[in-house]
Amino acid sequence: MEFADVVRRRRMVRDYDPDRPVPPEVRERLLAHAIRAPSAGFTQGWAFLVLEWAADRELFWSVTASDALPHPPGRDAWLTRMRRAPLLVVPLSSKDAYLDRYAEPDKGWTDRDEARWPVPYWDVDAGMAALMVLLTAVDEGLGACLFGIPAERVDAFRGAFGIPTTHRPVGVVSVGYPGDGDRRSPSLRRGRRGVDEVVHRGRW
């Protein structure tokens, strides 16, 4: 598929065919492309939790989508469709990896002062890796969606999967073949903002 087509076809898919697993070779290409994302100082401070076995995915949903939490309108249907995804990839960022990297001789920030960073590039870079997964999924004829773990459920997620405190989940990418019930998000009715609306040339 041409790259321009991949970009145009990329969208968030929220319903999956539960009877079509992601082939192992495709899964490995998703991950191989993820680590080709750029990273500040070539730190590569990301990590990826891959959940493809049914028991692991069910554990994920049980600790991140607790029935004890209030459900906004439409959430039940959304969760039912999302739970069908045969593959979940959780990109995690490591702030310590970046602070350590920039304390090395070729960078020279020996104090590891987090205030030196204008934005948390550890999260930015993990997000770029997630985008690589999303784009690769399109190129492979799959659907994918990036969504977040509710803040109040992150600790439960950490405990369930042994995630060290040095790493933070920046989201979750669900991957699979689109299901028959996948529908365009109502949010798309807002319309896509055009280049002239968001680009400022020369100055604001």
Side-chain angles (χ1 to χ4, degrees):
M1 189 182 300
E2 294 291 333
F3 180 72
D5 292 331
V6 170
V7 173
R8 280 194 296 268
R9 294 184 186 185
R10 192 220 55 77
R11 65 186 182 87
M12 297 302 186
V13 172
R14 298 173 176 82
D15 183 39
Y16 302 91
D17 184 341
D19 298 320
R20 296 185 68 190
V22 176
E25 65 274 14
V26 174
R27 176 200 63 218
E28 292 307 305
R29 279 196 291 272
L30 294 170
L31 298 169
H33 289 181
I35 64 172
R36 299 292 299 185
S39 66
F42 207 41
T43 301
Q44 307 166 79
W46 45 54
F48 304 90
L49 177 67
V50 177
L51 305 175
E52 55 186 330
W53 300 109
D56 291 336
R57 298 195 311 270
E58 184 53 39
L59 176 59
F60 170 84
W61 290 113
S62 71
V63 298
T64 63
S66 171
D67 291 335
L69 297 176
H71 291 200
R75 183 176 183 271
D76 291 331
W78 181 87
L79 279 176
T80 297
R81 295 192 301 268
M82 288 292 286
R83 282 178 185 258
R84 297 172 184 157
L87 175 63
L88 300 174
V89 178
V90 185
L92 303 113
S93 67
S94 172
K95 177 173 65 176
D96 285 344
Y98 285 74
L99 298 183
D100 290 343
R101 169 70 184 100
Y102 275 75
E104 293 177 11
D106 63 322
K107 297 298 182 183
W109 292 355
T110 55
D111 55 9
R112 299 180 78 256
D113 186 0
E114 185 179 346
R116 294 181 181 275
W117 294 82
V119 295
Y121 272 89
W122 36 92
D123 293 336
V124 172
D125 292 350
M128 289 186 180
L131 179 58
M132 297 292 276
V133 175
L134 293 172
L135 293 176
T136 302
V138 175
D139 193 46
E140 295 284 351
L142 298 166
C145 182
L146 174 67
F147 62 97
I149 297 175
E152 66 273 18
R153 304 303 297 170
V154 169
D155 286 345
F157 165 75
R158 286 184 184 280
F161 293 100
I163 306 298
T165 58
T166 54
H167 286 74
R168 174 168 66 181
V170 298
V172 185
V173 183
S174 55
V175 184
Y177 291 94
D180 294 335
D182 188 52
R183 298 177 179 84
R184 291 172 64 84
S185 170
S187 298
L188 295 178
R189 295 177 189 142
R190 293 167 52 87
R192 190 178 301 280
R193 299 178 69 189
V195 171
D196 290 343
E197 294 180 86
V198 298
V199 174
H200 306 274
R201 304 179 191 275
R203 64 181 299 158
W204 192 276

